[in-house]
Amino acid sequence: MSSLDWAPLKSIIDNNQSFLISSHVRPDADALGSELGMAAILRHFGKQVTIVNATAPPANLQFLNSDQQVLKLNEDVKQADLPAVDVYIVVDTSAWQQLGAMAEVIQSAGPKRVVIDHHVSSDNMGATEFKDTTAAATGELIFEAAEYLGVEFDSVTASALYAAIATDTGWFRFPSTSANTMRIGAALMELGASPHELFNYLNEQRSLARVRLGGRVLGRIETSEDGRLAWIYADAVDLKETGAVPSDTESLVNECLTIAGSEAAFIAVQQPSGQVKVSLRCRPPHNVAAVAEQFNGGGHKLASGATVGGPVEEAVRCMKKAFLKMLE
Ligand code: AMP
């Protein structure tokens, strides 16, 4: 169990009627599952809830949003049409930069803010914070909040939260996985989450383009002389020639860490904007959050991200230098 005191959340829920929930750009399963879990808690108490993110979920996660509850700003709802709400709840990030265009919406609105998160990197968002960096996923914290508040999830929400926790723990195997994580996983199964179906939805519905991109990108993996650092990249030509999209590179960086003797890895992916999204990974005792923070990014000690300027070769060169320094 986290040591968080959920009493302030109860009082915020009791004393307010309308809520807007948001999470980070390129929402992953933990972002979406946590948003849907939080929305279910609030609806249980008869509150009005809107969920809006700056960017849409990737295609492989759309199944979590089958009832289209999670809206995309300026596509499903214009900024001017957003409801004026009593409280803004940010889940699965504490970094303004990670909120994309939602940062401005939340900064310019009323002062009542809540953050529920498990990331190390953090801005002062002027919020009531429920933050536990030892939690394996934000979904784990949402489940604990629900337990405290006496809310039981239906099977659809339980599945979204299972997806949140399973993906953030690499299917319950990363060092962040605790006995409590397993307990929550079991409880979500009892509420109707089906691990094998979720694994299939999340990992076995890939496009041919994605698998081809993986072959191409991993085929030219490079390592430092001592083999402790491995890196890969995907540029616009790779995406065009395989027909893949930037999110198809997700999880490729983890393959780099399967090499014996590897201690750290990164992937640099050119985005349609020309910027380069870098995903950083390492094994203990290293800390890639500190590397990501040098580039205005952040995340966790073992898994972080940053968006840097292009071109890809320059991003790779800068990252390589920063990683080699970390490994010294
Ligand atoms: P990724 O590179 O997308 O695999 O991200 C790894 C982890 O770092 C995730 O938990 C992200 O939420 C977090 N992260 C990625 N980019 C950033 C950023 N610019 N600032 C803070 N956290 C980030």
Side-chain angles (χ1 to χ4, degrees):
M1 290 288 281
S2 82
S3 55
L4 289 176
D5 173 14
W6 294 105
L9 183 66
K10 181 173 186 321
S11 116
I12 289 169
I13 295 174
D14 286 347
N15 294 314
N16 293 281
Q17 195 49 39
S18 55
F19 296 78
L20 187 146
I21 305 172
S22 190
S23 188
H24 54 81
V25 287
R26 294 179 300 274
D28 58 6
D30 197 22
L32 295 167
S34 298
E35 289 182 311
L36 294 168
M38 193 62 227
I41 292 174
L42 293 167
R43 291 206 181 98
H44 173 91
F45 293 108
K47 308 294 171 176
Q48 285 148 22
V49 187
T50 311
I51 310 176
V52 192
N53 294 327
T55 58
N60 70 319
L61 295 182
Q62 284 292 355
F63 77 96
L64 293 174
N65 188 30
S66 56
D67 57 1
Q68 307 301 315
Q69 265 194 72
V70 182
L71 306 176
K72 183 183 171 212
L73 185 67
N74 293 329
E75 199 169 286
D76 302 317
V77 57
K78 291 212 176 67
Q79 189 164 335
D81 297 333
L82 284 175
V85 297
D86 300 329
V87 182
Y88 290 80
I89 302 186
V90 172
V91 296
D92 199 39
T93 183
S94 335
W96 284 120
Q97 198 211 21
Q98 282 282 83
L99 287 171
M102 282 306 293
E104 193 198 309
V105 172
I106 297 171
Q107 277 165 347
S108 61
K112 279 195 198 162
R113 295 173 197 149
V114 169
V115 168
I116 305 177
D117 186 28
H118 73 133
H119 289 90
V120 178
S121 306
S122 182
D123 288 331
N124 179 357
M125 292 184 142
T128 306
E129 281 200 350
F130 300 89
K131 189 158 167 129
D132 181 355
T133 58
T134 68
T138 301
E140 199 174 291
L141 298 176
I142 300 288
F143 185 88
E144 288 188 7
E147 275 186 323
Y148 176 87
L149 296 163
V151 177
E152 189 163 283
F153 293 117
D154 64 17
S155 64
V156 173
T157 314
S159 298
L161 282 166
Y162 192 97
I165 298 169
T167 52
D168 255 38
T169 56
W171 296 83
F172 300 93
R173 77 180 200 284
F174 292 163
S176 54
T177 307
S178 64
N180 187 46
T181 315
M182 304 305 265
R183 176 187 74 83
I184 294 173
L188 291 169
M189 278 182 78
E190 275 163 4
L191 292 170
S194 166
H196 78 274
E197 276 176 24
L198 287 166
F199 188 88
N200 175 265
Y201 274 126
L202 290 161
N203 295 320
E204 296 171 342
Q205 298 293 331
R206 293 183 176 160
S207 65
L208 183 58
R210 177 175 170 148
V211 176
R212 286 211 168 111
L213 179 77
R216 179 168 167 146
V217 167
L218 286 168
R220 61 175 180 235
I221 187 169
E222 287 186 76
T223 65
S224 56
E225 258 178 54
D226 59 9
R228 293 163 73 210
L229 173 65
W231 66 90
I232 48 180
Y233 70 88
D235 62 18
V237 179
D238 295 319
L239 299 177
K240 187 159 177 259
E241 291 188 355
T242 55
V245 292
S247 62
D248 285 335
T249 56
E250 193 201 312
S251 82
L252 282 181
V253 66
N254 300 324
E255 291 297 321
C256 301
L257 275 188
T258 62
I259 305 170
S262 64
E263 294 178 26
F266 69 86
I267 181 171
V269 182
Q270 189 174 352
Q271 302 295 304
S273 65
Q275 286 189 300
V276 180
K277 168 79 180 52
V278 187
S279 290
L280 305 80
R281 301 287 184 272
C282 67
R283 292 185 209 287
H286 302 300
N287 175 8
V288 283
V291 177
E293 281 165 14
Q294 291 168 34
F295 298 91
N296 290 324
H300 308 282
K301 280 185 181 171
L302 305 183
S304 278
T307 301
V308 300
V312 177
E313 307 80 64
E314 182 58 12
V316 167
R317 200 187 60 76
C318 296
M319 276 296 151
K320 196 179 142 189
K321 201 171 155 201
F323 264 87
L324 291 175
K325 195 151 194 301
M326 176 191 81
L327 291 171
E328 260 171 22

